[in-house]
Each structure stands twice: as C-alpha cells, then as structure tokens.
Amino acid sequence: MSFSGRPSVVVLAGVVCVASLSTAVASGQDSKSAALAKELVQTLDAAKLDSMAAADPATPGAFVAVLYIPGTQLLVVSAKYAAPPLLTDKIAAKDYRDVYIDLQSASVRASKIFVTDQGSDGLVAKPSGDNAADSWDEGDKSVTFDGDWKKAKIAEADYTKTFIDADAKYAAMLSTLVAQAKKAKSGS
C-alpha cells in the first residue's frame, strides 16, 4: 500500500497515534512496569529481603539490582560492570546490597540506568495528588515523570515517548529481578 501523493494521511495518522498514547498515559492507565513492581515487592517482602541483584540475561557483562525501602520506593540500577565475575560471585553469595552499591558507584557510566520508583508501584507518567514523581536516569539524560513536559522544555509527544520507552525498559529490569527473587526465595 502506498501513501504517495497523500502525505496528509500519514501525518494525520501519526498525530492520532501520539494523541492516543498521550491520552493513555495521562489517564493513569497502568504502565507495563506496574504489575512487575507489585510482584517484586511481594516477593521481596515474603523473602524478608530489602535488596536483590541479577545478571542481565539480555546484555552480557551487565547487571540489575534493587534497593527496596518498604512502603516508600524501589531504587533500581542497571549497568555494565568492568569485572563481571566479581558481581557474579556476590550474587551467588546473596550479597545483593553489595552488588547494588557496586553498580551505583563503579559501573560503566555510559551503560547505567537508574530508576527511582516512588511508591514501589511501577513508573507513573504523572503522579496523582501529593505523590512524589518517579525519575529515570539513563547515561547523561534525566527525566522526572511529573507530567510537566513544559517545565522540562520538551513537547508532550516527546515526554510520552520517553515515558513509554523508559517504562518498557524498567519492566524488563523488574522482570529479571522478579525471576532472581523467586529463585532466592525458593533457595535455589
């Protein structure tokens, strides 16, 4: 199917798509990370753990770790590490907090993603009421998901796209942590 000679149809379809995404994000629709954050919190609570770490199965030499502050937030970091065997050994020894600290302080900077999930409920594009905003740091780019794209000096469509991309990546990070937390809980 060709759209040649009909660029206005393509532009209109793009505008409708972005508007639909913006409406979905603004309406408070659950993010991809919401259910996984809830599952991770439940698994950590059941295992009486405040941290978890795992190798990232999608990226060799990269790891994911979380520091869980019950009732408050999940602090999640993902990054490559210059000496992967050291972190692999710490994970095997269940020194999850040490892995978190190592990723925060000595990871490969350009590969680092850091998420502050206020409320431990997954990323939220715009917090409700007086709730604190979630934040996303990737490399040298930082975004606070407070719903105020004008303050951030970006277009609403760019804010929405950034949120959707961040939420998908965060969901993948949480999925890795949930799998590891379940293994740790079962003792394997």
Side-chain angles (χ1 to χ4, degrees):
M1 181 178 205
S2 172
F3 289 106
S4 60
R6 299 184 59 151
S8 60
V9 171
V10 174
V11 171
L12 181 59
V15 170
V16 170
C17 181
V18 168
S20 297
L21 290 173
S22 297
T23 302
V25 170
S27 70
Q29 186 178 44
D30 280 346
S31 64
K32 290 181 179 183
S33 61
L36 289 163
K38 181 178 179 181
E39 185 177 4
L40 179 60
V41 165
Q42 290 172 342
T43 305
L44 291 173
D45 283 340
K48 297 183 180 1
L49 294 170
D50 68 354
S51 56
M52 182 51 55
D56 183 343
T59 308
F63 297 84
V64 182
V66 61
L67 181 61
Y68 168 47
I69 302 167
T72 306
Q73 62 190 349
L74 293 171
L75 302 171
V76 182
V77 62
S78 172
K80 287 188 174 189
Y81 194 74
L86 294 176
L87 294 189
T88 302
D89 290 347
K90 287 182 180 186
I91 291 169
K94 298 185 180 188
D95 293 332
Y96 306 124
R97 187 179 282 247
D98 286 350
V99 175
Y100 176 84
I101 291 167
D102 288 345
L103 289 176
Q104 281 289 24
S105 61
S107 60
V108 177
R109 184 170 186 221
S111 69
K112 186 175 174 182
I113 295 173
F114 178 63
V115 181
T116 303
D117 178 354
Q118 302 289 354
S120 306
D121 56 357
L123 289 183
V124 177
K126 181 179 180 183
S128 60
D130 291 335
N131 294 334
D134 296 327
S135 65
W136 174 268
D137 300 326
E138 184 172 8
D140 292 332
K141 182 181 173 187
S142 294
V143 179
T144 300
F145 292 116
D146 58 3
D148 193 350
W149 52 87
K150 291 177 186 174
K151 181 175 77 177
K153 298 180 181 173
I154 60 174
E156 181 180 7
D158 292 336
Y159 178 89
T160 301
K161 182 182 180 332
T162 300
F163 175 80
I164 290 168
D165 292 346
D167 186 50
K169 289 178 185 177
Y170 185 44
M173 293 163 65
L174 291 173
S175 180
T176 299
L177 290 167
V178 166
Q180 182 68 24
K182 286 180 176 180
K183 278 176 42 180
K185 182 181 171 196
S186 69
S188 28

